[in-house]
C-alpha cells in the first residue's frame, strides 16, 4: 500500500485508511466479532491508519481498536481519535482542563500512553479563531499526551482558518465526487503548508457504491434514517448533504462512468486519492469484504483525464448547487 507523509508531523499513513464510526454506533447494530474482523481485513490489506472518535459508541470504537491492536503487536498502525462531542457544542467547553480529561479517557480506551493524533471533532466555528484553544492543544503535545493534533471540519472556511495555525498537523474534511469544493482552496493551502488532508465520507455514506435505490430502507438506528435532514447533527455528514433521491440518480450515472475493473466505490476512492494534497482516504466498512475491496483501490491505476472530466461534469450538473454554498 502506498504511504503518504504528513509534512508537519513526519508521520506516514496508508493512502487508504479505515474509518471506524461503523464499529461504534449510528449505522445499525454491529457485533464485536464483526468489528474485529473489519479491522483485521483492513490491516491485512495494508491499511496503516484507523480513524476513530471518543464519541463513536461512546468509546466502543476506541476500545475495539485497542482490543484488536493488543492481539496484533506486529502491526504498526497510526490511530487518530477525536474529542469534543460528548459535551454541549459551545466554545466555552474547549478549554485545557476538558482537553486533558477527554485525552485521559481516550488514552484509557485505546490503552496507550500517548495518542498518535487527536482531532477537534467539528467544533463550533468560533473555536478555530481562538488563540487559547490552540495554545491549549500545544500544551497537550508538550505534556506528551498526544504526538500531534488536527481538526475535523464541516466547511472549507473552517479548514482554511485551521491550516493558517502553525501546529495543526491535519485537517479532516468531506471530499468525494459529490463534494468537490475543497479542491478549490483547501487542498492547495494544505499542500503548501504541509498539513495532512484526511478525506472522510468518501463514499457519500455508501451512495457512491451505486447499490441503493429510492426504496432502500436503512435501520431506524442508522443515521441515514435519523439524520437524513440534519435532525441529529450536521446534514453534510449524511450522504454528503446530497438529497437522497437525486443522490441515487446521480450515483447511477456515476456507476456508468466507472472504468472496467473498478467497482463504483473503488472509482470514488481512486478519484479522491489522486487529488493533489490528499494524504489518506478513510472509507467506513460494515464488513471485511468492504474493507478489503476499499483498500484494493489503492492498487488500481489512476483514472484517466476523460473519466475525471465526466465525473466533474456530473458534479456540476447534478450536485454542485446542493452543496457548494453550504460547506
Ligand atoms: N465529523 C467527523 O469527523 C466525521 C463524520 C463522518 C465520518 N467520519 C469518519 O469518516 C469515516 C468514513 O465516513 P463514513 O463512514 O461516514 O462514510 P463512507 O465511508 O462514505 O460510507 C461508508 C458506507 O459505505 C458503504 N460501503 C463501504 N465500502 C463499500 C464497498 N466497498 N462497497 C459498497 N458499499 C460500501 C457501507 O454502507 P452499508 O452500511 O450500507 O453497507 C458503509 O457503511 C467514518 O467511519 C469516520 O471515521 C468523521
Amino acid at each position: 500500500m502506498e504511504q503518504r507523509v504528513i509534512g508537519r508531523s513526519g508521520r506516514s499513513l496508508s493512502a487508504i485508511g479505515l474509518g471506524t464510526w461503523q464499529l461504534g454506533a449510528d449505522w445499525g447494530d454491529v457485533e464485536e466479532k464483526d468489528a474485529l474482523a473489519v479491522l483485521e481485513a483492513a490491516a491485512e490489506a495494508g491499511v496503516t491508519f484507523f480513524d476513530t472518535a471518543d464519541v463513536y459508541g461512546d468509546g466502543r470504537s476506541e476500545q475495539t481498536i485497542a482490543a484488536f491492536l493488543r492481539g496484533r503487536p506486529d502491526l504498526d498502525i497510526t490511530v487518530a481519535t477525536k474529542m469534543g462531542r460528548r459535551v454541549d457544542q459551545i466554545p466555552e467547553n474547549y478549554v485545557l482542563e476538558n482537553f486533558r480529561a477527554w485525552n485521559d479517557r481516550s488514552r484509557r480506551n485505546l490503552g496507550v500512553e500517548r495518542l498518535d493524533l487527536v482531532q477537534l471533532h467539528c467544533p463550533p466555528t468560533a473555536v478555530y479563531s481562538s488563540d487559547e484553544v490552540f495554545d491549549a492543544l500545544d500544551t497537550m503535545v508538550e505534556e506528551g499526551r498526544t504526538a500531534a493534533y488536527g481538526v475535523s471540519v464541516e466547511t472549507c472556511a473552517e479548514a482554511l482558518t485551521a491550516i493558517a495555525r502553525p501546529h495543526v498537523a491535519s485537517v479532516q474534511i468531506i471530499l468525494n465526487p459529490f463534494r468537490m469544493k475543497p479542491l478549490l482552496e483547501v487542498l492547495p493551502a494544505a499542500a503548501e503548508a504541509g498539513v495532512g488532508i484526511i478525506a472522510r465520507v468518501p463514499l457519500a455514506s455508501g451512495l457512491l457504491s451505486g447499490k441503493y435505490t429510492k426504496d432502500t430502507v436503512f435501520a431506524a438506528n442508522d443515521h441515514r434514517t435519523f439524520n437524513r435532514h440534519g435532525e441529529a447533527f450536521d446534514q453534510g455528514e449524511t450522504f454528503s448533504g446530497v438529497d437522497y433521491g437525486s443522490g441515487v440518480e446521480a450515483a447511477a450515472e456515476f456507476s456508468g462512468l466507472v472504468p472496467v475493473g473498478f467497482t463504483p466505490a473503488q472509482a470514488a476512492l481512486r478519484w479522491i486519492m489522486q487529488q493533489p494534497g490528499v494524504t489518506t482516504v478513510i472509507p467506513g466498512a460494515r464488513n471485511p469484504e468492504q474493507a478489503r475491496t476499499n483498500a484494493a483501490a489503492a492498487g488500481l491505476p489512476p483514472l484517466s483525464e476523460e473519466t475525471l472530466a465526466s465525473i466533474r461534469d456530473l458534479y456540476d450538473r447534478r450536485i454542485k448547487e446542493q452543496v457548494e454554498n453550504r460547506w
Side-chain angles (χ1 to χ4, degrees), residues 126-155:
V127 166
Y128 296 98
S129 304
S130 163
D131 292 344
E132 290 77 15
V133 166
F134 289 90
D135 289 348
L137 290 168
D138 287 338
T139 301
M140 299 272 284
V141 174
E142 284 157 19
E143 291 179 351
R145 292 168 165 277
T146 185
Y149 65 82
V151 294
S152 183
V153 304
E154 298 291 7
T155 68

Side-chain angles (χ1 to χ4, degrees), residues 22 51 152 203 205 211-212 224 237 282 284 286 290 294:
Q22 281 76 359
D51 176 74
S152 183
L203 303 176
S205 312
K211 68 182 176 183
Y212 310 133
R224 293 170 295 184
E237 306 297 350
I282 52 165
R286 173 176 297 285
Q290 289 181 354
N294 292 343

Side-chain angles (χ1 to χ4, degrees), residues 9 11 51 77 80 100-101 129 160 197-198 239 265 275 300:
S9 75
R11 191 175 281 273
D51 176 74
I77 300 224
R100 285 183 176 134
S129 304
L160 291 167
I197 289 286
I198 300 170
F239 301 124
Q275 303 305 323
L300 292 170

Side-chain angles (χ1 to χ4, degrees), residues 248-318:
V248 166
E249 284 174 14
E253 186 178 334
F254 179 80
S255 297
L257 303 176
V258 167
V260 176
F262 290 67
T263 67
Q266 288 174 324
L269 298 174
R270 187 67 234 188
W271 180 91
I272 301 166
M273 265 183 71
Q274 71 191 74
Q275 303 305 323
V278 170
T279 311
T280 186
V281 189
I282 52 165
R286 173 176 297 285
N287 55 49
E289 185 54 23
Q290 289 181 354
R292 264 190 294 275
T293 56
N294 292 343
L300 292 170
L303 300 176
S304 69
E305 288 300 324
E306 191 188 347
T307 302
L308 293 176
S310 303
I311 293 173
R312 175 82 218 188
D313 173 62
L314 164 62
Y315 172 78
D316 285 344
R317 275 186 292 106
R318 290 185 178 267

Side-chain angles (χ1 to χ4, degrees), residues 102 105 142 147 155 171 173 221 256 299 323:
W102 300 339
R105 183 176 179 273
E142 284 157 19
T155 68
V171 167
I173 191 164
N221 58 348
V323 296

